[in-house]
Amino acid sequence: MTTIETPPVDSSAASLGSARGRLWNSLRHNPLGLTGGIMLLVVVLTGLLAPVIAPYGPSEVHFDGTFQAPGTVGYILGTDDLGRDIFSRMVYGIQVSLQVGVLSVLLAVVVGTPLGLLAGYWRWLDGIISRLTDVTLAFPFLIIAVALAAISGPSLSNAAIALGVAQIPTMIRVVRGETLRIKETDFVMSATTMNASGLRIIFRHVLPNCMSAIIVQATVIMPVAVIGEALLSFLGLGIQPPASSLGIMLSDAQQYVTRSPTAAIFPGIAIAVICLGFHLFGDALRDALDPTNTTRK
Amino acid sequence: MTRYLLTRLWQSAITLILASLVVFIGVRQLPGDPALAMAGEEASPERLAEIRTQLGLDESIVTQYFSFIGNMLRGDLGESTRTGTAVTDLIASTLPVTLWLSAYALIVAIVVGVLLGVIAERFRGKWPEWIANAFALIGLSVPNFWLGILAILYLAVGLGWFPASGYVPIEENPIAGIHSLTLPAFILGTGLAAVIMRQTRASMIETMKMDYVRTARAKGLGRGTVLFRYGLRNSLIVVVTIVGLQLGGLISGAVVTERIFALPGFGKLTLDSVFTRDYPVIQAVVLIITVGYILINLAVDILYSVINPKIRVGGSN
């Protein structure tokens, strides 16, 4: 136990730093991961710059130009039954998808991480937290969304809460598993022998080393949340019309799908691109950060 | 084994009690006074008090909880405030549609997922693996309700192979019933098939690295035989786990699939009850899905321990 002098935080900081290097290396040699990264960059920029990119407002109607075909001057992707520009609605829809995605991921991380740390570190808390996890798992996100919509009406925030709450159990499990692993490492043992308090060990030593697993899990949750948001607004349980969301666009387009198939096709492609981006990038991230892929103990 | 089952049963019982508490408290958070809703806006205070007594709303919260549980156990789920029909009747007429749909989708997902997983492992680095992988990625990224709309547009309306909507009860006409559910079941099963494919492939790659597989190969067994005898058996455990974990997704997926294909199932009942604020139905629907989910997970875990006797409760994961 001569390694006691080595400050453990250094080792985690170093591993995060080299993780960044590994990520870049892995992306350079992984064309799929790079493609995913580029897709995400485009999607995120689209969401952030929506008002700049979209030529029209999301619910701006043009009754003189309904059901325009894609490629019509002024309407790159055509218009829908109310003459709303499909491209503009899609751009704002992507913004909504990302908002709900980020909100629900934040919820899952902020609630799931501390619970996972506690469950992994103190065995006596494990039983209680596991039962709570089981109860949450017993409510599929759609049922949580249904309940929230019944209590306070359907909305964007209720959709995000339902999706986030449903992801808390997996987040707890991931962080708990990591905590169990890190707890057995030499630097945590040495901190324990040096009489560091449990909370101090958790926040100074365990949490920084859980970060890569948390980030990878976040990229797994994001596409689930994006599809979930589209599904909820498709069913009328998410953000309410006339606001735009990829799910609302699909639900509208289904009404007149035989007349204007493209109105249904484009929003679906947008959802697929967002999710594919997260899956490809997330896989590359996992390869780069997965401790079993490296020599790190 | 007995010890494992007892622990697992005990855990499920606690989860069930906690979940019923959540539903009970949740229902009491709903806006609106049920007594006022029953009596109408112009009811006298005496009439309201009478209805409250009748509904047991003037009892203590603990008594209310136990009578709530008692009613549920006796199969009395109340009446729909919208139509006045007994909630149990509504469920009896809609649940079979959803169960048939989910079972069909599950079979599709397992067959397609395992098959593609085997293909991906058998042809590693060759084009069939690429196709299988591409299918899995697309299956995970593309929302299935979008696939549903496209399938209706091209396979049902365009080619006329399947009905675009509607349901024929399988109990009455099995062939027409299965035909009417084929498109929805494939659409519902796609996402699950993708997850199963990925996990099957991963588990097979692990298994094929094992010493006993090498021994079997050294003894002269063909690669295909080994793949099916060892690889597939191990991937069965994975499939059972995945199905258990993905059930929530399957239920959510069934709701939206029913909506697209206009199937008169449990999902439609759920959505209708939310949009018409039919609280007794909402309560029953949430409770049934939750209880069903817990029980199915229990069954999955028991099945799991039967397939793989190494698994015991209390393991770290």
Side-chain angles (χ1 to χ4, degrees):
Chain A
M1 279 289 167
T2 45
T3 51
I4 276 177
E5 300 94 69
T6 318
V9 177
D10 270 11
S11 76
S12 63
S15 77
L16 270 182
S18 65
R20 215 165 283 141
R22 277 205 307 275
L23 173 62
W24 175 235
N25 257 328
S26 134
L27 276 184
R28 260 194 329 190
H29 299 114
N30 181 348
L32 281 180
L34 197 60
T35 315
I38 293 170
M39 283 160 109
L40 284 190
L41 200 66
V42 172
V43 164
V44 170
L45 284 179
T46 308
L48 287 177
L49 303 174
V52 183
I53 295 175
Y56 304 97
S59 32
E60 202 178 313
V61 293
H62 306 271
F63 287 116
D64 51 342
T66 59
F67 292 120
Q68 297 289 316
T72 314
V73 179
Y75 309 107
I76 318 174
L77 300 181
T79 59
D80 65 5
D81 58 332
L82 299 176
R84 294 175 296 193
D85 181 39
I86 289 178
F87 177 71
S88 304
R89 277 180 77 70
M90 252 171 72
V91 168
Y92 282 98
I94 289 172
Q95 192 178 42
V96 169
S97 295
L98 292 178
Q99 273 172 1
V100 172
V102 169
L103 281 176
S104 51
V105 167
L106 275 181
L107 182 64
V109 170
V110 168
V111 180
T113 307
L115 289 176
L117 287 169
L118 294 176
Y121 197 81
W122 282 298
R123 293 307 299 226
W124 60 273
L125 272 173
D126 197 16
I128 303 171
I129 294 175
S130 294
R131 285 293 76 69
L132 289 176
T133 319
D134 284 352
V135 175
T136 318
L137 273 178
F139 296 94
F141 80 85
L142 192 75
I143 290 306
I144 303 177
V146 161
L148 285 176
I151 293 171
S152 58
S155 66
L156 182 142
S157 52
N158 276 345
I161 292 173
L163 292 162
V165 167
Q167 291 296 339
I168 291 174
T170 25
M171 194 48 103
I172 292 179
R173 283 184 183 176
V174 168
V175 176
R176 175 181 168 276
E178 281 293 284
T179 308
L180 286 174
R181 185 180 63 81
I182 296 161
K183 216 170 74 174
E184 303 302 321
T185 53
D186 289 344
F187 62 85
V188 171
M189 298 262 189
S190 71
T192 315
T193 50
M194 280 158 67
N195 223 2
S197 72
L199 279 180
R200 186 186 156 83
I201 293 177
I202 288 179
F203 285 105
R204 288 293 298 273
H205 306 294
V206 181
L207 181 59
N209 284 292
C210 283
M211 283 320 282
S212 51
I214 294 173
I215 294 169
V216 168
Q217 185 58 26
T219 65
V220 175
I221 297 178
M222 265 307 267
V224 177
V226 167
I227 291 192
E229 186 279 327
L231 189 145
L232 290 178
S233 27
F234 181 83
L235 294 175
L237 295 170
I239 192 169
Q240 293 298 296
S244 179
S245 141
L246 298 172
I248 292 181
M249 292 183 74
L250 282 176
S251 150
D252 288 347
Q254 202 199 350
Q255 317 297 324
Y256 45 82
V257 67
T258 43
R259 175 152 185 207
S260 169
T262 50
I265 291 173
F266 291 126
I269 294 177
I271 299 173
V273 166
I274 302 177
C275 296
L276 203 60
F278 276 108
H279 280 304
L280 293 175
F281 186 71
D283 283 354
L285 204 61
R286 182 163 40 221
D287 289 347
L289 299 178
D290 186 353
T292 60
N293 269 358
T294 70
T295 48
R296 181 158 58 111
K297 282 198 173 165
Chain B
M1 189 71 186
T2 324
R3 197 185 141 78
Y4 169 71
L5 285 183
L6 283 177
T7 319
R8 196 60 193 75
L9 277 174
W10 166 238
Q11 286 178 349
S12 293
I14 294 181
T15 315
L16 271 176
I17 293 169
L18 287 175
S20 73
L21 266 172
V22 171
V23 175
F24 174 76
I25 294 166
V27 167
R28 262 126 208 93
Q29 300 306 311
L30 295 172
D33 181 348
L36 201 62
M38 274 185 82
E41 295 289 335
E42 284 100 46
S44 62
E46 293 78 34
R47 175 83 186 115
L48 280 180
E50 195 185 311
I51 292 178
R52 286 214 173 84
T53 316
Q54 201 186 325
L55 292 174
L57 290 174
D58 52 353
E59 305 275 356
S60 77
I61 196 86
V62 181
T63 321
Q64 282 191 46
Y65 174 70
F66 281 107
S67 62
F68 163 77
I69 295 296
N71 285 340
M72 294 293 149
L73 290 179
R74 269 183 278 116
D76 176 8
L77 298 171
E79 282 159 10
S80 158
T81 48
R82 188 165 53 106
T83 57
T85 327
V87 176
T88 35
D89 291 345
L90 287 174
I91 288 163
S93 65
T94 52
L95 197 55
V97 183
T98 308
L99 290 180
W100 281 118
L101 172 66
S102 308
Y104 195 172
L106 206 57
I107 294 170
V108 169
I110 292 175
V111 171
V112 174
V114 171
L115 206 66
L116 286 177
V118 173
I119 289 174
E121 149 62 17
R122 180 70 186 78
F123 298 96
R124 273 182 85 184
K126 300 203 182 81
W127 62 266
E129 194 204 359
W130 284 94
I131 293 182
N133 281 344
F135 166 82
L137 258 183
I138 292 170
L140 286 176
S141 303
V142 171
N144 62 1
F145 54 96
W146 182 56
L147 281 184
I149 297 175
L150 295 188
I152 290 181
L153 182 63
Y154 294 111
L155 300 180
V157 177
L159 295 170
W161 289 354
F162 301 98
S165 64
Y167 171 69
V168 181
I170 288 188
E171 301 86 352
E172 286 168 23
N173 187 343
I175 293 177
I178 288 173
H179 188 224
S180 72
L181 281 183
T182 297
L183 212 47
F186 271 85
I187 295 301
L188 179 55
T190 322
L192 191 57
V195 181
I196 292 178
M197 179 269 162
R198 283 191 137 197
Q199 297 294 331
T200 306
R201 177 173 154 268
S203 118
M204 286 212 158
I205 290 173
E206 281 301 304
T207 312
M208 299 309 272
K209 279 187 203 153
M210 294 288 172
D211 286 345
Y212 64 83
V213 170
R214 205 175 47 196
T215 311
R217 292 277 287 137
K219 276 163 61 186
L221 276 181
R223 197 180 145 84
T225 320
V226 174
L227 199 67
F228 278 93
R229 195 173 294 174
Y230 300 115
L232 210 55
R233 184 179 298 177
N234 277 298
S235 75
L236 199 62
I237 298 170
V238 177
V239 170
V240 171
T241 321
I242 297 295
V243 168
L245 285 173
Q246 298 287 325
L247 270 177
L250 197 67
I251 294 171
S252 309
V255 173
V256 70
T257 311
E258 286 173 15
R259 163 80 172 258
I260 297 168
F261 290 93
L263 300 173
F266 202 62
K268 186 178 181 321
L269 181 69
T270 309
L271 288 176
D272 287 350
S273 69
V274 175
F275 294 128
T276 56
R277 305 199 152 241
D278 197 340
Y279 293 137
V281 180
I282 297 177
Q283 169 181 300
V285 160
V286 171
L287 201 72
I288 285 174
I289 291 184
T290 312
V291 171
Y293 194 63
I294 295 172
L295 292 182
I296 294 173
N297 261 315
L298 176 66
V300 166
D301 271 8
I302 292 172
L303 192 64
Y304 198 66
S305 69
V306 172
I307 306 175
N308 186 355
K310 272 196 305 194
I311 294 157
R312 286 291 177 269
V313 80
S316 58
N317 278 306

